[in-house]
Amino acid sequence: MTTLSYQTRRGQLQTYFDRTAVDAWARLTSDAPVGSIRATVRAGRTAMRNTLLSWLPSDLRGARLLDAGCGTGALAVEVARRGAEVVAIDLSPKLVGLARERAPSDLGQGSIDFRVGDLLDPSLGRYDFVVAMDSLIHYEARDMSRVVTGLAQRTSSSVLFTFAPRTALLGFMHSVGKLFPRGDRAPAIEPVAEPRIVKLLGSEPGLELWQRGRTKRIASGFYISQALELTSL
Ligand SMILES: C[S@@+](CC[C@H](N)C(=O)[O-])C[C@H]1O[C@@H](n2cnc3c(N)ncnc32)[C@H](O)[C@@H]1O
Protein backbone atom coordinates (compact mmCIF):
# COMPACT_ATOMS: atom_id res chain seq x y z
CA MET A 1 0.00 0.00 0.00
CA THR A 2 1.39 3.39 -0.95
CA THR A 3 0.62 6.57 0.97
CA LEU A 4 -1.16 9.65 -0.30
CA SER A 5 2.06 11.67 0.02
CA TYR A 6 3.86 9.11 -2.18
CA GLN A 7 1.10 9.17 -4.79
CA THR A 8 0.95 12.98 -4.83
CA ARG A 9 4.70 13.31 -5.25
CA ARG A 10 4.76 10.60 -7.89
CA GLY A 11 2.19 12.57 -9.92
CA GLN A 12 4.28 15.75 -9.66
CA LEU A 13 7.42 13.89 -10.69
CA GLN A 14 5.75 12.35 -13.69
CA THR A 15 4.63 15.79 -14.92
CA TYR A 16 8.01 17.30 -14.18
CA PHE A 17 10.17 14.64 -15.82
CA ASP A 18 7.83 14.03 -18.76
CA ARG A 19 7.08 17.67 -19.62
CA THR A 20 8.98 20.43 -17.84
CA ALA A 21 12.40 18.85 -17.59
CA VAL A 22 12.46 16.37 -20.43
CA ASP A 23 14.70 18.42 -22.74
CA ALA A 24 17.06 19.40 -19.94
CA TRP A 25 17.36 15.73 -18.91
CA ALA A 26 17.92 14.61 -22.46
CA ARG A 27 20.80 17.07 -22.71
CA LEU A 28 22.26 16.51 -19.24
CA THR A 29 22.38 12.77 -19.89
CA SER A 30 24.00 13.14 -23.33
CA ASP A 31 27.48 14.25 -24.42
CA ALA A 32 26.18 17.64 -25.59
CA PRO A 33 27.91 20.67 -24.06
CA VAL A 34 26.30 22.09 -20.91
CA GLY A 35 26.99 25.13 -18.75
CA SER A 36 29.51 24.98 -15.91
CA ILE A 37 26.95 24.32 -13.17
CA ARG A 38 25.33 21.46 -15.07
CA ALA A 39 28.79 20.12 -15.90
CA THR A 40 29.39 19.63 -12.15
CA VAL A 41 26.08 17.81 -11.91
CA ARG A 42 26.94 15.62 -14.89
CA ALA A 43 30.32 14.77 -13.38
CA GLY A 44 28.73 13.98 -10.01
CA ARG A 45 26.13 11.76 -11.63
CA THR A 46 28.79 9.86 -13.56
CA ALA A 47 30.72 9.32 -10.32
CA MET A 48 27.55 8.12 -8.60
CA ARG A 49 26.66 5.72 -11.42
CA ASN A 50 30.19 4.32 -11.34
CA THR A 51 29.97 3.88 -7.56
CA LEU A 52 26.73 1.93 -7.82
CA LEU A 53 28.10 -0.15 -10.70
CA SER A 54 31.19 -0.95 -8.63
CA TRP A 55 28.94 -2.44 -5.90
CA LEU A 56 27.43 -4.94 -8.35
CA PRO A 57 29.10 -8.14 -9.57
CA SER A 58 31.06 -7.71 -12.78
CA ASP A 59 29.38 -10.83 -14.15
CA LEU A 60 25.61 -10.48 -14.01
CA ARG A 61 24.71 -13.31 -16.39
CA GLY A 62 21.53 -14.98 -15.19
CA ALA A 63 20.72 -12.17 -12.74
CA ARG A 64 17.53 -10.13 -12.84
CA LEU A 65 18.01 -6.45 -12.02
CA LEU A 66 15.53 -3.59 -11.65
CA ASP A 67 16.67 -0.11 -12.67
CA ALA A 68 14.07 1.71 -10.60
CA GLY A 69 13.44 5.14 -12.11
CA CYS A 70 15.74 4.51 -15.07
CA GLY A 71 15.50 7.96 -16.70
CA THR A 72 17.37 7.82 -20.02
CA GLY A 73 18.78 4.40 -19.22
CA ALA A 74 22.56 4.78 -18.85
CA LEU A 75 22.81 2.45 -15.86
CA ALA A 76 20.48 -0.12 -17.43
CA VAL A 77 22.77 -0.35 -20.45
CA GLU A 78 25.88 -0.88 -18.32
CA VAL A 79 24.35 -3.69 -16.27
CA ALA A 80 22.84 -5.33 -19.36
CA ARG A 81 26.36 -5.30 -20.87
CA ARG A 82 27.42 -7.39 -17.86
CA GLY A 83 24.80 -9.94 -18.87
CA ALA A 84 21.87 -8.95 -16.63
CA GLU A 85 18.24 -9.35 -17.55
CA VAL A 86 17.21 -5.77 -16.78
CA VAL A 87 13.79 -4.33 -16.12
CA ALA A 88 14.15 -0.56 -16.56
CA ILE A 89 11.11 1.40 -15.45
CA ASP A 90 10.28 5.08 -15.24
CA LEU A 91 7.19 7.23 -14.80
CA SER A 92 8.03 9.33 -17.84
CA PRO A 93 7.02 7.86 -21.23
CA LYS A 94 9.29 10.37 -22.98
CA LEU A 95 12.38 9.47 -20.96
CA VAL A 96 11.69 5.76 -21.45
CA GLY A 97 11.29 6.44 -25.19
CA LEU A 98 14.67 8.17 -25.20
CA ALA A 99 16.24 5.34 -23.19
CA ARG A 100 14.93 2.84 -25.76
CA GLU A 101 16.38 4.88 -28.62
CA ARG A 102 19.74 5.23 -26.92
CA ALA A 103 20.17 1.60 -25.89
CA PRO A 104 22.53 -0.26 -28.23
CA SER A 105 20.91 -3.13 -30.10
CA ASP A 106 23.69 -5.54 -29.19
CA LEU A 107 23.83 -6.15 -25.45
CA GLY A 108 25.49 -9.53 -25.67
CA GLN A 109 23.82 -11.94 -23.29
CA GLY A 110 22.04 -9.15 -21.45
CA SER A 111 18.65 -7.62 -22.20
CA ILE A 112 16.57 -4.61 -21.19
CA ASP A 113 12.81 -4.64 -20.82
CA PHE A 114 11.86 -0.94 -20.79
CA ARG A 115 8.61 -0.13 -19.03
CA VAL A 116 6.60 2.98 -18.26
CA GLY A 117 5.12 2.89 -14.79
CA ASP A 118 5.71 2.83 -11.06
CA LEU A 119 8.89 1.22 -9.79
CA LEU A 120 6.84 -0.49 -7.06
CA ASP A 121 4.60 -2.30 -9.56
CA PRO A 122 4.37 -5.83 -8.12
CA SER A 123 3.59 -7.34 -11.52
CA LEU A 124 7.24 -6.87 -12.48
CA GLY A 125 8.13 -9.89 -10.35
CA ARG A 126 11.26 -10.62 -8.32
CA TYR A 127 14.85 -9.48 -8.72
CA ASP A 128 18.36 -10.34 -7.63
CA PHE A 129 19.40 -6.68 -7.54
CA VAL A 130 17.64 -3.32 -7.47
CA VAL A 131 19.25 0.03 -8.16
CA ALA A 132 17.39 3.30 -7.56
CA MET A 133 19.77 6.10 -8.49
CA ASP A 134 18.39 9.49 -7.48
CA SER A 135 14.82 8.35 -8.08
CA LEU A 136 13.72 8.40 -4.43
CA ILE A 137 15.32 11.73 -3.47
CA HIS A 138 12.06 13.64 -4.00
CA TYR A 139 10.02 11.48 -1.62
CA GLU A 140 9.77 12.24 2.06
CA ALA A 141 11.95 10.06 4.25
CA ARG A 142 9.17 7.79 5.51
CA ASP A 143 7.99 7.11 1.97
CA MET A 144 11.55 6.51 0.82
CA SER A 145 12.02 4.00 3.62
CA ARG A 146 8.77 2.20 2.75
CA VAL A 147 9.62 2.07 -0.94
CA VAL A 148 13.09 0.64 -0.23
CA THR A 149 11.46 -1.97 2.01
CA GLY A 150 8.88 -2.84 -0.65
CA LEU A 151 11.68 -3.30 -3.18
CA ALA A 152 13.79 -5.38 -0.78
CA GLN A 153 10.89 -7.75 -0.20
CA ARG A 154 11.06 -8.69 -3.88
CA THR A 155 14.84 -8.91 -4.04
CA SER A 156 17.25 -11.71 -3.15
CA SER A 157 20.72 -10.06 -3.04
CA SER A 158 21.02 -6.29 -2.73
CA VAL A 159 19.15 -3.01 -3.03
CA LEU A 160 21.21 0.07 -3.85
CA PHE A 161 19.62 3.49 -3.58
CA THR A 162 20.61 7.09 -3.12
CA PHE A 163 19.31 9.81 -0.86
CA ALA A 164 20.04 13.53 -0.61
CA PRO A 165 22.07 13.79 2.59
CA ARG A 166 20.82 16.55 4.87
CA THR A 167 23.85 18.68 5.54
CA ALA A 168 23.86 22.23 6.89
CA LEU A 169 24.53 23.64 3.42
CA LEU A 170 21.92 21.56 1.66
CA GLY A 171 19.37 22.39 4.35
CA PHE A 172 20.10 26.06 3.73
CA MET A 173 19.84 25.75 -0.07
CA HIS A 174 16.62 23.82 0.36
CA SER A 175 15.02 26.54 2.46
CA VAL A 176 16.25 29.27 0.10
CA GLY A 177 14.83 27.28 -2.83
CA LYS A 178 11.45 27.34 -1.16
CA LEU A 179 11.44 31.14 -1.39
CA PHE A 180 11.23 31.03 -5.17
CA PRO A 181 7.85 30.88 -6.92
CA ARG A 182 6.79 27.41 -7.99
CA GLY A 183 6.44 27.69 -11.77
CA ASP A 184 8.92 25.42 -13.50
CA ARG A 185 10.77 24.56 -10.34
CA ALA A 186 11.44 20.89 -9.82
CA PRO A 187 9.49 19.09 -7.11
CA ALA A 188 11.55 19.68 -3.98
CA ILE A 189 14.34 17.31 -3.12
CA GLU A 190 13.72 15.97 0.40
CA PRO A 191 17.09 15.92 2.16
CA VAL A 192 17.42 13.38 4.96
CA ALA A 193 20.23 12.93 7.45
CA GLU A 194 21.95 9.55 7.19
CA PRO A 195 21.14 8.54 10.80
CA ARG A 196 17.44 9.25 10.17
CA ILE A 197 17.11 7.11 7.06
CA VAL A 198 19.14 4.37 8.74
CA LYS A 199 16.84 4.52 11.77
CA LEU A 200 13.70 4.45 9.65
CA LEU A 201 14.98 1.44 7.71
CA GLY A 202 15.95 -0.24 10.97
CA SER A 203 12.39 -0.04 12.22
CA GLU A 204 10.69 -1.29 9.03
CA PRO A 205 8.87 -4.57 9.46
CA GLY A 206 10.10 -6.68 6.58
CA LEU A 207 13.74 -5.63 6.68
CA GLU A 208 14.75 -7.87 9.60
CA LEU A 209 16.78 -10.07 7.28
CA TRP A 210 18.62 -7.20 5.64
CA GLN A 211 21.76 -5.38 6.70
CA ARG A 212 23.36 -2.06 5.86
CA GLY A 213 26.38 -2.38 3.61
CA ARG A 214 28.54 0.26 1.97
CA THR A 215 27.74 3.95 1.77
CA LYS A 216 29.34 6.72 -0.24
CA ARG A 217 28.61 10.39 -0.58
CA ILE A 218 29.35 12.13 -3.87
CA ALA A 219 29.62 15.92 -3.79
CA SER A 220 30.41 17.63 -7.08
CA GLY A 221 29.41 21.30 -7.28
CA PHE A 222 25.62 21.37 -7.27
CA TYR A 223 25.30 17.61 -7.11
CA ILE A 224 25.21 16.04 -3.65
CA SER A 225 23.92 12.53 -3.25
CA GLN A 226 24.72 9.55 -1.08
CA ALA A 227 24.49 5.90 -2.03
CA LEU A 228 23.50 3.22 0.47
CA GLU A 229 23.71 -0.52 0.01
CA LEU A 230 21.34 -2.96 1.69
CA THR A 231 22.21 -6.63 1.46
CA SER A 232 20.11 -9.63 2.40
CA LEU A 233 21.40 -11.88 5.17
C1 LIG B 1 16.66 12.31 -11.03
S1 LIG B 1 16.02 11.18 -12.22
C2 LIG B 1 17.24 9.91 -12.25
C3 LIG B 1 17.11 8.99 -13.42
C4 LIG B 1 18.15 7.86 -13.49
N1 LIG B 1 18.05 6.95 -12.37
C5 LIG B 1 19.52 8.44 -13.57
O1 LIG B 1 20.22 8.46 -12.57
O2 LIG B 1 19.88 8.95 -14.66
C6 LIG B 1 14.70 10.45 -11.29
C7 LIG B 1 13.82 9.57 -12.14
O3 LIG B 1 13.02 8.77 -11.28
C8 LIG B 1 11.76 8.61 -11.87
N2 LIG B 1 10.80 8.24 -10.82
C9 LIG B 1 10.49 8.90 -9.69
N3 LIG B 1 9.57 8.23 -8.98
C10 LIG B 1 9.30 7.11 -9.67
C11 LIG B 1 8.40 6.03 -9.46
N4 LIG B 1 7.63 5.97 -8.38
N5 LIG B 1 8.37 5.04 -10.37
C12 LIG B 1 9.15 5.09 -11.49
N6 LIG B 1 10.01 6.10 -11.75
C13 LIG B 1 10.08 7.10 -10.85
C14 LIG B 1 11.49 9.97 -12.51
O4 LIG B 1 10.50 9.90 -13.51
C15 LIG B 1 12.88 10.34 -13.05
O5 LIG B 1 13.06 9.94 -14.38
Side-chain angles (χ1 to χ4, degrees):
M1 267 296 275
T2 53
T3 61
L4 184 60
S5 53
Y6 174 81
Q7 290 162 20
T8 306
R9 190 39 72 92
R10 184 181 61 192
Q12 294 167 345
L13 289 169
Q14 181 175 20
T15 307
Y16 178 71
F17 281 103
D18 204 57
R19 293 192 210 152
T20 324
V22 68
D23 293 337
W25 265 93
R27 192 171 185 89
L28 183 69
T29 57
S30 72
D31 294 334
V34 284
S36 55
I37 289 177
R38 288 195 178 179
T40 67
V41 174
R42 187 186 269 170
R45 286 175 34 76
T46 301
M48 178 55 83
R49 191 167 55 250
N50 288 338
T51 298
L52 296 167
L53 288 168
S54 75
W55 292 354
L56 292 166
S58 52
D59 184 352
L60 283 166
R61 281 175 296 176
R64 207 161 178 266
L65 184 148
L66 177 71
D67 184 354
C70 63
T72 54
L75 188 132
V77 167
E78 291 305 316
V79 287
R81 281 199 171 117
R82 295 184 188 182
E85 186 190 316
V86 183
V87 176
I89 191 161
D90 201 283
L91 294 172
S92 160
K94 286 193 189 139
L95 291 184
V96 172
L98 203 53
R100 260 198 202 103
E101 274 171 34
R102 286 185 182 176
S105 52
D106 182 8
L107 289 166
Q109 292 186 37
S111 62
I112 309 179
D113 176 7
F114 286 109
R115 303 279 187 112
V116 176
D118 187 341
L119 51 83
L120 272 181
D121 181 351
S123 74
L124 298 171
R126 294 191 57 82
Y127 319 101
D128 298 290
F129 302 95
V130 172
V131 184
M133 172 167 152
D134 296 345
S135 41
L136 306 179
I137 56 176
H138 298 278
Y139 294 98
E140 57 182 62
R142 275 179 197 287
D143 286 330
M144 175 185 275
S145 171
R146 282 196 201 103
V147 171
V148 170
T149 305
L151 291 170
Q153 284 169 336
R154 280 168 226 156
T155 305
S156 64
S157 288
S158 67
V159 175
L160 315 180
F161 72 100
T162 66
F163 61 94
R166 177 171 274 285
T167 60
L169 179 63
L170 199 62
F172 171 72
M173 279 158 60
H174 186 64
S175 35
V176 170
K178 283 194 167 164
L179 299 175
F180 290 101
R182 281 223 64 89
D184 281 357
R185 190 148 59 76
I189 288 175
E190 301 283 349
V192 54
E194 183 181 351
R196 171 133 200 267
I197 190 69
V198 166
K199 189 169 175 202
L200 283 169
L201 290 167
S203 58
E204 287 288 353
L207 278 190
E208 295 84 356
L209 294 176
W210 287 75
Q211 66 186 356
R212 196 154 35 108
R214 291 164 274 196
T215 188
K216 179 155 174 145
R217 183 177 295 184
I218 305 281
S220 161
F222 278 71
Y223 180 84
I224 305 173
S225 186
Q226 185 165 342
L228 193 61
E229 176 187 46
L230 294 181
T231 56
S232 78
L233 291 169

